Amino acid sequence: MSNQKMMRAIGYYEPGEGVPPFQEVEVERPKASGRDLLVAVKAVSVNPSDWRSHKDKKPDDSSLTIAGRDVAGVVVEAGPDCNIFKVGDEVYYSGSIIRPGGFSEFHLVDERIVGKKPKSLDFAQAAALPLTTITAWEAYYERLGISKNPSDNEGKSILIIGAAGGVGSIATQLAKLAGLTVIATASRPESIKWTKEHGADHVIDHHRPLEPQLKELGLVGVPYIFVLNNPDQHLNEMKKVILPQGKICSILPFEQPAELGELFIKSVTFAWELMYTRSAFQTDDMIEQHRLLNEVSNLVDAGKVRTTMKELIKPINSENLKEAFHKSLSGSTIGKIVLEGFE
């Protein structure tokens, strides 16, 4: 008889569209080895990549899938090779797509992608940040090559398409910290309000042609575009408003073959950002995600970055996860949905 401790986890077995058929199960509690931390999960948040993992699950895969990337919690075990964190540390992070997710009482994660939780935030507020923050940070400073020095960005602007969601909410804040003029897109009164509250200088409607709206702001184009929803539907407008030698970054792939000739003529850089790349491929610079999360934690505690949590649901259970996923799948979510506490 095994002496292995058990834990509750919330997952699903069947692939499919829509809200996953979540159920609560008992599974073995993992043990920390190597550079892994075992974290007692206090709060999690929901991201579109969570429900995409349900859609992408192979038809012949009947194994248990535990989704959930964003976690805030407390370290309860540290592997023998850990040298960053210790038992008792409060942490926040976004896990890896090649390992089980964080919708469980305890979660195993490589310490190189973990950050110290901001002291000024509770666990729920902190759980809203990791995935979206890493995405925006890597997009700006690594894919688009934006300087962190505001004086370098004087007179420069960035267009954020889909700015009211999770990534957009933090991307707007980071762009303002970098000294950029932020032109955000949003279409509903509540999303326009949210976007302005997070620092957008101007808000335009992505359901209408972008070029004339930018001209009304006195702009012939922008040097940077960060597109946070389907790039197919915005490509023609992006071609018009990106300046020669400008840069575009998308967090989603094209769904259809894309004609990029007009971007070639302008010598435009088109980049993609997927924050899972480093952990999935165990790249040599994986630790950069630890460093950036720590830097953002300091910015939060200094009052320069705020949580993007919009809704808190308690406790973490299968029914509440179904509710959160249903809202996320609606496509009209503002900010982040967070779940807190196992009961």
Side-chain angles (χ1 to χ4, degrees):
M1 191 79 173
S2 171
N3 292 322
Q4 178 68 40
K5 295 178 181 177
M6 305 299 284
M7 69 174 184
R8 284 179 294 165
I10 300 164
Y12 55 87
Y13 295 93
E14 303 87 357
E17 301 276 349
V19 177
F22 285 117
Q23 52 185 291
E24 189 171 303
V25 296
E26 275 217 337
V27 297
E28 285 193 353
R29 172 174 155 175
K31 293 181 178 179
S33 61
R35 294 201 70 173
D36 280 345
L37 304 171
L38 185 65
V39 176
V41 176
K42 301 296 184 184
V44 297
S45 73
V46 173
N47 294 283
S49 62
D50 295 327
W51 44 260
R52 287 194 193 103
S53 67
H54 177 227
K55 181 181 177 181
D56 294 340
K57 188 176 169 82
K58 291 182 171 54
D60 60 350
D61 180 3
S62 60
S63 66
L64 176 67
T65 295
I66 304 172
R69 298 297 160 218
D70 278 335
V71 171
V74 180
V75 177
V76 293
E77 284 180 25
D81 299 330
C82 289
N83 55 30
I84 303 173
F85 293 102
K86 63 185 186 305
V87 171
D89 286 344
E90 296 185 350
V91 296
Y92 77 139
Y93 60 88
S94 185
S96 170
I97 54 173
I98 60 173
R99 306 183 75 169
F103 295 161
S104 54
E105 288 183 289
F106 298 91
H107 187 234
L108 210 56
V109 63
D110 190 304
E111 70 169 355
R112 288 170 291 179
I113 59 171
V114 174
K116 61 176 185 179
K117 182 184 78 66
K119 292 184 175 67
S120 57
L121 299 183
D122 61 28
F123 287 106
Q125 292 167 328
L129 289 173
L131 185 147
T132 54
T133 299
I134 296 169
T135 299
W137 190 281
E138 290 183 347
Y140 284 176
Y141 305 128
E142 297 177 36
R143 314 300 174 222
L144 294 173
I146 294 171
S147 170
K148 292 180 189 176
N149 186 347
S151 63
D152 293 337
N153 297 319
E154 195 171 338
K156 293 181 182 177
S157 55
I158 185 167
L159 173 63
I160 303 174
I161 300 177
V167 178
S169 301
I170 190 72
T172 301
Q173 297 181 66
L174 293 180
K176 287 305 297 176
L177 280 178
L180 291 162
T181 297
V182 177
I183 300 111
T185 78
S187 58
R188 293 173 293 134
E190 59 269 34
S191 57
I192 292 169
K193 180 175 181 287
W194 174 266
T195 302
K196 287 181 175 177
E197 287 173 352
H198 285 75
D201 296 290
H202 308 284
V203 182
I204 61 178
D205 187 348
H206 47 249
H207 295 302
R208 295 168 44 213
L210 301 177
E211 189 177 31
Q213 294 182 82
L214 286 180
K215 284 182 176 175
E216 287 177 15
L217 299 175
L219 296 170
V220 295
V222 291
Y224 303 113
I225 298 176
F226 192 23
V227 56
L228 307 177
N229 46 37
N230 185 341
D232 300 71
Q233 62 191 20
H234 302 293
L235 180 58
N236 287 335
E237 289 300 308
M238 292 194 293
K239 289 176 183 176
K240 295 173 186 175
V241 302
I242 189 70
L243 290 173
Q245 302 182 94
K247 297 180 180 181
I248 301 171
C249 182
S250 174
I251 64 169
L252 290 172
F254 288 107
E255 294 180 359
Q256 302 294 330
E259 176 50 61
L260 303 177
E262 290 167 72
L263 298 183
F264 167 72
I265 294 168
K266 288 184 174 181
S267 294
V268 167
T269 299
F270 197 108
W272 275 274
E273 161 57 25
L274 182 65
M275 61 133 298
Y276 299 126
T277 298
R278 280 173 159 148
S279 58
F281 291 94
Q282 299 283 293
T283 59
D284 292 340
D285 63 351
M286 247 175 79
I287 198 151
E288 290 303 320
Q289 293 193 341
H290 159 70
R291 290 173 180 150
L292 79 83
L293 284 173
N294 275 3
E295 195 169 337
V296 170
S297 185
N298 292 337
L299 289 170
V300 170
D301 288 339
K304 295 180 178 179
V305 169
R306 56 192 278 198
T307 182
T308 56
M309 182 177 76
K310 183 71 165 76
E311 183 175 0
L312 176 60
I313 303 173
K314 297 181 182 182
I316 304 169
N317 61 32
S318 58
E319 290 308 308
N320 284 343
L321 274 174
K322 287 175 185 176
E323 178 191 347
F325 271 59
H326 179 75
K327 290 177 177 178
S328 179
L329 277 158
S330 72
S332 58
T333 306
I334 298 172
K336 292 296 294 292
I337 302 170
V338 178
L339 294 93
E340 182 180 36
F342 282 89
E343 289 185 355

